[in-house]
């Protein structure tokens, strides 16, 4: 049965889609491919961290009917969303409202089907000096980059975008339930009226799908990256924010701020009065944080970083510093969110950010953010030259031989959406399983007082097969209590598996996969494989095996499964075979190759002025990665100067 969504897409694109159906070349031209290496095609395989010496193969979890002490506020299934660098937004989503990339829609539709909606932020380092060109860009593209006057200092290009960007976003929201954050250019205090224009257009174009406007981006770096004076401090930022709110006459609670990343803590900003002073205009208190960075030159050995991403304690440590602020925000009637995050800034680490470990880590991190009363945590996308993207289109000249690459971390987004579901009412608790073991994580999700789902992570890559599988025994009531047991008679379990914690290919979520690298159209392939477990009626307990490494999502009822779309099929997503055709949008090579993805310093790769050697090349490609009207392109991937 064709879903409402794909019908809509077909209708909206049929005006220009040639009736001819595209058949993908599934064979990769490996000779050509081999010559083309950017971070997103890196094949580094690291050595898996050793299993812990004291591995406990079984533990017990006591759950209570009605809820658990310390569980979070209710949260929705769109928690783990996307943060898209403004400069790469058209490359990823589509160049024009009539030319939306179906793969992008497919990924969104998968999340919507599970979590009810998808959260997408467009902004980042380039938002601060972005100009909205109402009359279009000289080169005809939606996003055009200029070296700013101070490009010699920051090497960050200025982005000029057209209303088509916002119109494309609005069109996406008609096809999938996407809700947006958009960045307001902050640094020149609306001196030219541009910030006001961006604000008005974002509001009017996105309407009810606009969640919030991000005011300022990493202001704690403004002195370093020379967006502001070298003595720029918190009082100066508070004054600028006051000025902007007044100048833009913002009255409604629509803002997300203050978005610090690196040098100012959220506590310092709240102490300076950010929350109280801007209470009427704020809807979200937000932060940005990456646990590590890959900015140093020469590059660090990623092997030395691996253990950090297979550790529940490290995940707890990521969220703990924000708990005071998140609870203060909630107490003030605001929401708290992580506007931008990923495995490591400056593009991530090869072998970690693009491997199965990142899926385990991000699943744990998402649930930990939910437990910490975050409403959203948005996973950042850079361009081609980063390791960490949830998904990446092929380089333009490779669209004939390659499809999209689904990153391991995208599987975590699917799982987080299913774990939290569509009710908007999920309350999460970290169970500190096995005496808060570092190599495993366990969470319970309650909805309306009923335990509906459990999620377990096993981070351990065994050296002897199955030596590091564990079994969770749980009971709802009963067990170690004097309460009656209401443990279900059966539970259903979906597993996230891969050949190894290093795998970049063929990761499976309940048997379904995006397949091998560079072979994805954003749809799950294969049959759904859900494991049913019979619980022990005699003592009201239930045993769930959790192999190493894996994630296990346990559904305590069929209703809990249905309300998180855990049983959906791929028929509900967009078929690229229907939507790829002969439309010929042109793609700005500079935008395509740009790679920002830096929180806490200057951008990586080709947003630097020296790295896109041939930004004037006119490339034409069809929607959805099919054809190129080829013109030679020469791009080099110079390493940008990095600040940290
Ligand atoms: C905002 O700033 C601009 C540019 O300085 C100025 O022209 C305008 O009058 C200001 N508007 C308000 C409401 O202060
Ligand atoms: C989240 O908020 C709830 C309700 O205010 C509170 O009881 C809980 O302690 C908070 N969670 C954390 C981890 O701080
Ligand atoms: C639980 O962990 C704590 C902290 O590591 C340790 O001190 C304690 O002995 C552990 N308890 C058990 C029962 O293993
Ligand atoms: C992934 O699966 C495909 C299809 O089954 C197979 O051809 C390919 O070799 C697998 N890749 C790896 C790295 O195992
Ligand atoms: C794509 O462009 C890169 C960089 O110029 C080149 O190395 C590669 O061979 C090209 N691939 C194809 C299929 O043309």
């Amino acid at each position: 049965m064709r879903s409402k969504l794909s019908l809509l897409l077909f209708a909206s694109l049929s005006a220009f889609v040639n009736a001819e159906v595209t058949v993908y070349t599934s064979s990769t031209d490996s000779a050509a491919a081999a010559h083309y290496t950017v971070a997103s095609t890196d094949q580094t395989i690291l050595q898996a961290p050793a299993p812990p010496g004291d591995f406990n193969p079984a533990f017990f979890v006591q759950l209570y009917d009605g809820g658990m002490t310390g569980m979070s506020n209710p949260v929705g299934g769109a928690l783990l969303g996307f943060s898209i660098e403004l400069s790469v937004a058209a490359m990823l989503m589509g160049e024009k409202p009539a030319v939306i990339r179906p793969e992008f829609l497919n990924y969104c539709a998968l999340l919507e089907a599970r979590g009810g909606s998808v959260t997408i932020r467009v902004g980042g380092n380039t938002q601060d000096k972005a100009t909205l060109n109402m009359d279009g860009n000289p080169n005809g593209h939606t996003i055009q980059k200029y070296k700013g006057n101070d490009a010699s200092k920051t090497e960050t290009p200025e982005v000029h975008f057209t209303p088509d960007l916002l119109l494309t976003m609005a069109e996406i929201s008609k096809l999938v339930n996407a809700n947006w954050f958009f960045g307001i250019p902050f640094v020149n205090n609306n001196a030219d009226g541009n910030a006001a224009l961006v604000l008005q257009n974002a509001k009017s174009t996105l309407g009810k799908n606009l969640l919030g406007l991000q005011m300022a981006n990493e202001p704690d770096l403004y002195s370093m990256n020379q967006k502001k004076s070298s003595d720029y401090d918190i009082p100066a930022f508070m004054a600028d924010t006051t000025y902007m709110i007044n100048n833009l006459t913002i009255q409604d609670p629509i803002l997300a701020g203050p978005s610090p990343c690196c040098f100012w803590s959220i506590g310092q900003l709240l102490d300076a009065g950010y929350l109280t002073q801007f209470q009427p205009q704020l809807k979200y208190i937000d932060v940005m944080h990456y646990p590590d960075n890959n900015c140093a030159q020469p590059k660090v050995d990623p092997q030395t970083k691996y253990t950090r991403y297979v550790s529940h304690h490290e995940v707890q440590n990521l969220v703990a510093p924000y708990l005071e602020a998140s609870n203060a925000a909630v107490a003030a009637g605001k929401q708290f969110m992580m506007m931008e995050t990923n495995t490591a800034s400056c593009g991530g680490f090869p072998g970690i950010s693009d491997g199965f470990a990142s899926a385990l880590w991000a699943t744990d991190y998402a649930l930990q953010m939910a437990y910490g009363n975050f409403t959203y945590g948005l996973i950042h996308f850079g361009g081609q030259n980063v390791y960490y993207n949830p998904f990446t289109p092929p380089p333009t000249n490779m669209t004939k031989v390659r499809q999209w690459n689904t990153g391991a971390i995208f599987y975590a987004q699917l799982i987080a959406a299913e774990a939290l579901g569509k009710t908007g009412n999920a309350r999460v608790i970290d169970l500190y399983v096995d005496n808060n073991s570092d190599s495993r994580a366990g969470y319970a999700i309650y909805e309306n007082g009923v335990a509906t789902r459990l999620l377990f992570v096993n981070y351990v890559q065994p050296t002897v097969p199955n030596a590091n599988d564990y079994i969770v025994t749980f009971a709802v009531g009963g067990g170690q209590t004097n309460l009656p047991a209401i443990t279900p008679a059966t539970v259903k379990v979906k597993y996230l598996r891969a050949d190894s914690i290093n795998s970049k290919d063929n990761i499976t979520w309940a048997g379904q996969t995006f397949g091998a690298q560079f072979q994805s159209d954003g749809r799950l392939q294969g049959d759904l494989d859900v494991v049913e477990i019979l619980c022990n009626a005699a003592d009201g307990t239930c045993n769930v095996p959790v192999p190493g490494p894996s994630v296990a999502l346990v559904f305590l009822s069929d209703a809990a499964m249905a309300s998180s779309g855990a049983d959906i099929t791929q028929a509900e997503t967009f078929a690229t075979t229907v939507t790829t055709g002969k439309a010929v949008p042109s793609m700005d090579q500079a935008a395509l190759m740009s790679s920002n993805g830096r929180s806490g310093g200057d951008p990586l790769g080709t947003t630097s002025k020296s790295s896109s050697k041939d930004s004037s090349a006119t490339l034409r490609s069809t929607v959805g990665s099919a054809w190129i009207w080829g013109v030679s392109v020469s791009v080099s991937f110079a390493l940008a100067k990095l600040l940290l």
Side-chain angles (χ1 to χ4, degrees), residues 42-48 303 306 350-351 354 500 502-504:
D42 187 284
Q43 294 302 315
T44 301
I45 299 286
L46 304 175
Q47 190 171 351
Q303 186 68 52
Y306 210 158
D354 52 357
S500 136
N502 288 320
S503 294
K504 301 176 205 272

Side-chain angles (χ1 to χ4, degrees), residues 4-19:
K4 167 186 71 132
L5 295 178
S6 52
L7 276 174
L8 269 170
L9 179 74
F10 188 71
S12 75
L13 293 179
S14 58
F16 60 86
V17 167
N18 188 302

Side-chain angles (χ1 to χ4, degrees), residues 125 136 169 186 191 312 318 389:
N125 223 342
M169 291 159 63
F186 186 79
H312 183 51
L318 278 177
N389 287 339

Side-chain angles (χ1 to χ4, degrees), residues 14 19 60 105 141 159 176 188 192 214 218 319 326-327 330 339 394-395 418 460 474 492 498 539:
S14 58
F60 181 76
L105 292 173
H141 297 308
V159 167
V176 292
N188 76 358
D192 51 4
Q214 187 195 346
E218 299 175 342
V319 170
S326 75
N327 289 318
V330 171
M339 185 65 82
E418 283 187 29
V460 184
F474 74 88
K492 291 196 172 128
D539 66 355

Side-chain angles (χ1 to χ4, degrees), residues 81-101:
F82 305 140
S83 163
I84 300 176
E85 188 64 43
L86 176 64
S87 57
V88 305
M91 178 264 282
L92 203 59
M93 304 190 304
E95 174 80 359
K96 303 282 172 189
V99 191
I100 296 165
R101 289 182 166 234

Side-chain angles (χ1 to χ4, degrees), residues 32 35-36 397-398 633-635:
H35 287 127
Y36 196 79
N397 74 339
M398 303 296 287
V633 187
S634 112
V635 177

